[in-house]
Amino acid sequence: MSKVFVLPGGKTRDQQCSGPNSLLSKQQTGLQRLLQKAEYGVCENLRKLEITGVSCRDVYAKRINPRVKSGRFMKILPDYEHMEYRDVYTCRGRSLDSNSPGIIAEVLHRYRHILGLWQPDIGPYGGLLNVVVDGFFIIGWMYLPPHDPHVDDPMRFKPLFRIHLMERKSATVECMYGHKGPHNGHIQIVKKDEFSTKCNQTDHHRMSGGRQEEFRTWLREEWGRTLEDIFHEHMQELILMKFIYTSQYDNCLTYRRIYLPPSNADDLLKPGLFKGTYGSHGLEIVMLSFHGKKAKGTKITGDPNIPAGQQTVEIDLAHPIQLPDIENLCNFNELSRIVLEVQEQVRREQQEEEEGQDKEEGRSRQGDSQQVEQPVQRDDAEAEGTEAAGVAATQESALTLQPFVLPVGVISRNKDYPRTCRMCFYGTGLIAGHGFTSPERTPGIFILFDDDRFGFIWLELKSFSLYSRIKVSFQNAEAPSREAFDEMLKNIQLMTT
């Protein structure tokens, strides 16, 4: 017999069981002070962690035995997506003594550097890990895009490891990979922005049916379908390749810190993480950031053609594109003509800018800096005026929606794309052969649909990618400075170059 109630969620009829409330309330003051300390990276919004640090997803059940008055409390972790077990552990009253805040503080202090967002080093595939304090654990959640091509669906997530916060001597690290429940693991903090995990019981990752069963299970989790459902031969090869490659990393992984992009009031839209369609590769995670007159989309997850860390798209905000009427928009050749004209204009401007810089360097070497000073000031003023006019025109066009339809012949994984857009800009997309061979930036068009969705038409591939914002509030992910964010982008790109 048992009575179940939820902490700290909605109240239930069986809330008369006051056991956990009475036990946990003893630590209310101490834990509240602890969890509000910013140095541990724990958010001050106690609605999620509450005053006791107990997650809203935690469910407690009290065993009632008429012959045993002391009672025990059994915590049932949620049945995490794609997992076939439910981990159960008991929490006796004596474990919540006056030293509990000190124990948690010691463990949090030791592992405070791993809280936040991380990118695992899984070759070209990358990933997105969020390490948070969840109840009496530090848990590493791996975030996965929704199944292709449902780009607007919410992210999926699964736990990779957890660290107990209630251990007295040394924190217990458990690997959560596989389907047989938590087992022994190890974490090594290499440096402040890098750490590694190791599983000490990899037999827990194996299935009784062997590699075939493991592949079928992985395929169902990763793609939401069976191999028989995928008729495209090239796509089958890509899927099998990813399974074989990623399976090599199920026992040891290295993670490197990533930051969310900083934002400014004049940004075209709020920067952040988006999930986008990439043909046979499925959905991938892209980070959109703004850099003056440019916007960049950097892959957080990738594929054998364009690996994680590479800049998949670049948008030239100084060159907006006016779409033709809806009839001509259906004509791919017409849209291609417009984009290529802008590409030629950008090329001429870059050439003139380079020639102007060469002339200035030549004059400065001849000692004519005074004669050069006056024209340069006029050019800067003219450039500022042109830029201001362009910004004003862009803001005005953003207020009016214009009809949008993909040109005939352009391939899209998601047919349910928006039929109106705010504005469009010239951009370039990175394409390459298998193994990131012969990378090349090719022209395209960036389409802003709304605050949470944008698209990109790859002219050379005749393909369309739709991107949708990841609506997850990641904590401890802000960059300490703009320079730190730019350095992070540079580092993750060098990893796969």
Side-chain angles (χ1 to χ4, degrees), residues 255-487:
Y255 303 87
R256 294 176 177 85
R257 184 180 297 279
I258 60 175
Y259 300 114
L260 292 177
S263 60
N264 296 311
D266 57 347
D267 288 338
L268 184 65
L269 72 160
K270 182 181 178 182
L273 295 172
F274 292 77
K275 38 195 174 352
T277 56
Y278 279 88
S280 299
H281 298 294
L283 299 187
E284 298 182 8
I285 300 174
V286 171
M287 177 183 290
L288 180 69
S289 57
F290 290 89
H291 309 262
K293 299 179 184 179
K294 303 283 187 181
K296 298 178 180 180
T298 304
K299 281 195 173 186
I300 303 302
T301 63
D303 53 69
N305 291 80
I306 307 297
Q310 292 299 315
Q311 184 181 314
T312 176
V313 294
E314 180 177 284
I315 301 99
D316 190 342
L317 301 176
H319 290 87
I321 290 179
Q322 181 62 43
L323 293 178
D325 57 70
I326 197 68
E327 293 181 0
N328 289 324
L329 183 57
C330 294
N331 188 336
F332 177 79
N333 293 332
E334 176 65 16
L335 181 64
S336 179
R337 181 190 63 79
I338 295 174
V339 175
L340 292 179
E341 285 180 356
V342 178
Q343 181 190 33
E344 179 61 23
Q345 178 186 349
V346 172
R347 188 193 63 80
R348 287 197 306 267
E349 292 175 358
Q350 291 176 345
Q351 185 176 359
E352 292 173 359
E353 183 179 354
E354 292 173 357
E355 292 175 354
Q357 291 176 352
D358 293 339
K359 290 180 180 179
E360 287 184 23
E361 291 176 0
R363 290 174 181 173
S364 62
R365 283 194 297 267
Q366 296 175 5
D368 296 334
S369 57
Q370 294 181 353
Q371 298 178 8
V372 176
E373 183 177 358
Q374 185 73 17
V376 169
Q377 289 178 351
R378 283 199 303 268
D379 290 344
D380 289 344
E382 291 175 2
E384 290 177 1
T386 303
E387 181 180 350
V391 171
T394 299
Q395 292 176 345
E396 182 179 353
S397 63
L399 300 177
T400 58
L401 294 176
Q402 51 186 322
F404 175 80
V405 65
L406 285 176
V408 176
V410 174
I411 302 172
S412 174
R413 300 283 295 178
N414 196 323
K415 303 301 181 182
D416 188 23
Y417 60 87
R419 293 310 195 266
T420 58
C421 66
R422 292 181 179 177
M423 61 187 77
C424 301
F425 293 89
Y426 170 77
T428 59
L430 184 62
I431 63 174
H434 187 84
F436 197 42
T437 56
S438 304
E440 177 187 4
R441 301 212 71 88
T442 61
I445 180 171
F446 169 88
I447 307 105
L448 177 62
F449 293 115
D450 51 45
D451 291 336
D452 297 321
R453 289 179 297 179
F454 65 88
F456 192 85
I457 297 179
W458 311 71
L459 286 189
E460 186 165 329
L461 302 178
K462 285 191 175 183
S463 178
F464 172 73
S465 292
L466 177 63
Y467 301 83
S468 178
R469 185 182 300 279
I470 296 176
K471 299 178 181 179
V472 178
S473 298
F474 295 109
Q475 302 295 327
N476 315 300
E478 295 77 17
S481 65
R482 180 76 203 196
E483 292 74 19
F485 176 78
D486 292 338
E487 184 69 19

Side-chain angles (χ1 to χ4, degrees), residues 111-124:
Y111 289 101
R112 71 188 186 277
H113 289 312
I114 72 171
L115 297 177
L117 281 180
W118 303 83
Q119 184 184 49
D121 184 6
I122 314 179

Side-chain angles (χ1 to χ4, degrees), residues 196-213:
S196 61
T197 59
K198 181 180 179 181
C199 176
N200 296 328
Q201 294 177 285
T202 55
D203 57 298
H204 281 64
H205 304 175
R206 308 281 76 87
M207 291 186 170
S208 58
R211 295 289 279 177
Q212 289 188 356
E213 182 183 359

Side-chain angles (χ1 to χ4, degrees), residues 46-107:
L46 299 182
R47 179 174 299 180
K48 183 175 182 181
L49 294 178
E50 290 291 339
I51 56 176
T52 62
V54 180
S55 167
C56 297
R57 291 173 293 190
D58 298 343
V59 179
Y60 281 77
K62 179 178 180 180
R63 291 181 181 172
I64 299 177
N65 190 329
R67 292 169 294 185
V68 182
K69 294 183 179 180
S70 61
R72 299 176 71 189
F73 296 93
M74 185 170 60
K75 177 181 176 182
I76 308 174
L77 287 180
D79 188 9
Y80 297 123
E81 188 177 6
H82 312 316
M83 291 201 171
E84 298 174 355
Y85 65 87
R86 304 179 78 188
D87 173 49
V88 177
Y89 74 92
T90 57
C91 179
R92 294 180 182 273
R94 64 172 180 268
S95 67
L96 293 172
D97 56 22
S98 58
N99 294 324
S100 296
I103 297 171
I104 296 178
E106 181 181 351
V107 177

